């Protein structure tokens, strides 16, 4: 089964063609990141406009790279939630139009479920159940993936997402958006014990996260140093901050795995590209004899191939939509 999938939840316009959930025939991404960088973050109005301008070309390119026409496609899939509402609407309306015009089924896909599905492409042998750490710019979750379309949220952030904390800390250190990537690169050169930063926990909820206090601590440290005219070592600060975020993520994840008796760990989302997170997951899983799966680096960020993968399993479950499908800005991963 060949699915044409569309993603426009944030600042990448993407389309892909994926066969039977696992084989990527084409994947095209038009990124707007350069334009949003001018403003230090994603400007929703600009994002929607750029999606509207790019989407036809991106979908046509995905078809032509796979040497296919619309007639060869069996279904249309689209990210419908969660994300920036105006951005999501562009993809949803385009997919609805394609579905109406061709009579092909329309498959709505949850963005975080698709991030998890990036692993089905990278690891053809991977099947649920497993415990997944979903870490992106907007979300930090520990999710028990019972089956392809059945999930249970075990823990979540109470405030900022890990990616958001990385990006804000990086911005305060003068790095361009999205700074999480550069912070990770610079941290490789630093001493992660040079600065003492808090590793917040949530009382009574051992699997939940809280990153806003940690983010504020590093921002205060920078501002205090600036006011006193003291210089900070950027490499050491990046390394100490990254160590604190990753320690919070891995501690809760391994605690949840132990308590639930799960021995297969998966990572997903933009921040699963983080070098230290990948190393610590590898180390922790090795020590405990767990299996670890992380997405290929090319599939960590937003793309449509992962949407096409998850769509295959949503289709198998009969999770289809009609022309009344709407975009939803906020929706839990276990919505059905
Ligand atoms: O999943 P994603 O592409 O978009 C959302 O769904 O939010 O995640 C984007 C986030 C950004 O915050 C970016 O800074 C972060 O992923 N990111 C990283 C790295 N690569 C991307 N954060 C830390 N280390 C990285 N290597
Ligand atoms: Zn994402």
């Amino acid at each position: 089964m060949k699915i044409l999938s569309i993603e426009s939840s944030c600042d990448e316009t993407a389309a892909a063609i994926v066969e039977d959930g696992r084989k990527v025939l084409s994947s095209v991404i038009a990124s707007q990141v350069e334009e949003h960088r001018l403003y230090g973050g994603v400007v929703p109005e600009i994002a929607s406009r750029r999606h509207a301008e790019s989407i036809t070309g991106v979908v046509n390119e995905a078809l032509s790279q796979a040497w296919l026409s619309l007639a060869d496609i069996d279904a249309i899939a689209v990210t419908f939630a969660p994300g920036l509402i105006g951005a999501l609407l562009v993809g949803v309306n385009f997919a609805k139009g394609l579905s109406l015009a061709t009579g092909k089924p329309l498959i709505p896909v949850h963005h975080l479920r698709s991030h998890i599905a990036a692993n089905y492409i990278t690891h053809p042998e991977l099947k649920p159940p497993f415990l997944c750490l979903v870490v992106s710019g907007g979300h930090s979750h520990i999710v028990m993936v019972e089956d392809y379309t059945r999930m249970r949220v075990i823990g979540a952030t109470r405030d900022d997402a890990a990616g958001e904390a990385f990006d804000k800390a990086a911005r305060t250190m003068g790095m361009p958006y999205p700074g999480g990537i550069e912070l990770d690169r610079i941290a490789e050169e630093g001493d992660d014990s040079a600065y003492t930063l808090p590793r917040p926990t949530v009382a009574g909820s051992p699997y939940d996260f809280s990153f806003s206090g940690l983010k504020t601590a590093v921002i205060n440290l920078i501002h205090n140093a600036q006011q006193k005219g003291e210089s900070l070592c950027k490499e050491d600060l990046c390394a100490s901050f990254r160590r604190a975020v990753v320690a919070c993520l891995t501690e809760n994840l391994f605690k949840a795995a132990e308590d639930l008796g799960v021995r297969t760990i998966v990572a997903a989302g933009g921040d699963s590209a983080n070098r230290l997170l990948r190393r610590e997951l590898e180390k922790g899983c090795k020590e405990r004899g767990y299996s670890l799966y992380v997405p290929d680096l090319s599939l960590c960020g937003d793309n449509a191939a992962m949407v096409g993968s998850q769509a295959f399993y949503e289709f198998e479950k009969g999770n289809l939509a009609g022309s009344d499908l709407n975009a939803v800005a906020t929706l839990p991963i276990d919505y059905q």
Side-chain angles (χ1 to χ4, degrees):
M1 176 184 196
K2 294 187 188 73
I3 296 178
L4 167 62
S5 51
I6 295 170
E7 151 66 36
S8 70
S9 67
C10 190
D11 59 350
E12 342 273 352
T13 319
I17 295 161
V18 181
E19 191 166 7
D20 297 335
R22 303 271 175 166
K23 192 173 171 206
V24 180
L25 304 182
S26 66
S27 178
V28 177
I29 305 174
S31 178
Q32 311 169 358
V33 73
E34 293 297 332
E35 191 167 2
H36 296 293
R37 193 165 281 155
L38 297 172
Y39 307 96
V42 178
V43 182
E45 170 68 17
I46 294 176
S48 312
R49 283 167 182 259
R50 296 298 166 259
H51 285 311
E53 287 163 10
S54 313
I55 196 155
T56 310
V58 167
V59 168
N60 279 335
E61 185 63 24
L63 284 165
S64 82
Q65 282 190 13
W67 293 86
L68 296 171
S69 72
L70 268 179
D72 305 310
I73 299 298
D74 300 298
I76 317 285
V78 65
T79 308
F80 77 108
L84 299 171
I85 195 71
L88 285 165
L89 273 169
V90 176
V92 166
N93 283 330
F94 197 89
K96 285 204 295 197
L98 273 182
S99 169
L100 267 173
T102 59
K104 318 247 178 208
L106 178 64
I107 313 169
V109 176
H110 189 287
H111 184 61
L112 296 184
R113 288 190 183 189
S114 70
H115 269 302
I116 297 172
N119 285 283
Y120 303 142
I121 297 169
T122 307
H123 310 285
E125 73 285 11
L126 177 65
K127 290 187 176 100
F130 52 77
L131 190 66
C132 188
L133 177 69
V134 187
V135 271
S136 71
H139 301 86
S140 301
H141 279 18
I142 296 173
V143 180
M144 184 64 215
V145 181
E146 319 260 15
D147 203 347
Y148 292 104
T149 58
R150 195 155 43 86
M151 335 232 153
R152 198 154 44 93
V153 178
I154 305 297
T157 182
R158 293 293 181 96
D159 38 60
D160 295 343
E164 202 177 333
F166 273 126
D167 290 344
K168 295 263 170 64
R171 187 156 94 175
T172 314
M173 288 185 234
M175 296 169 205
Y177 171 83
I181 299 164
E182 194 166 340
L183 188 148
D184 183 32
R185 193 176 53 74
I186 294 173
E188 291 290 292
E189 312 296 323
D191 168 8
D192 64 11
S193 61
Y195 295 99
T196 309
L197 291 167
R199 294 180 185 185
T201 52
V202 180
S205 302
Y207 315 128
D208 283 351
F209 307 108
S210 169
F211 293 113
S212 83
L214 173 56
K215 180 192 72 183
T216 310
V218 80
I219 292 172
N220 285 345
L221 200 141
I222 295 164
H223 287 163
N224 282 340
Q226 280 167 348
Q227 279 159 9
K228 289 181 194 158
E230 291 169 4
S231 64
L232 292 166
C233 173
K234 201 174 192 174
E235 289 79 6
D236 289 354
L237 191 56
C238 287
S240 303
F241 181 74
R242 183 179 68 167
R243 167 65 65 187
V245 173
V246 169
C248 295
L249 291 171
T250 52
E251 250 163 55
N252 293 12
L253 176 70
F254 285 126
K255 176 151 185 37
E258 235 158 77
D259 294 350
L260 295 167
V262 186
R263 304 183 61 81
T264 305
I265 302 289
V266 173
D271 286 273
S272 64
N274 187 277
R275 293 167 175 90
L276 182 69
L277 179 61
R278 287 169 95 101
R279 288 199 293 268
E280 287 300 305
L281 287 174
E282 209 167 289
K283 192 170 131 219
C285 285
K286 204 169 168 198
E287 279 166 10
R288 293 167 176 83
Y290 294 172
S291 309
L292 172 68
Y293 298 88
V294 294
D296 187 82
L297 284 176
S298 64
L299 290 166
C300 289
D302 292 343
N303 65 85
M306 66 188 193
V307 180
S309 174
Q310 181 62 24
F312 177 72
Y313 298 103
E314 300 288 349
F315 181 85
E316 281 199 323
K317 266 276 159 201
N319 296 337
L320 302 180
S323 53
D324 57 347
L325 177 68
N326 206 349
V328 183
T330 315
L331 186 72
I333 195 168
D334 52 357
Y335 65 102
Q336 61 182 18

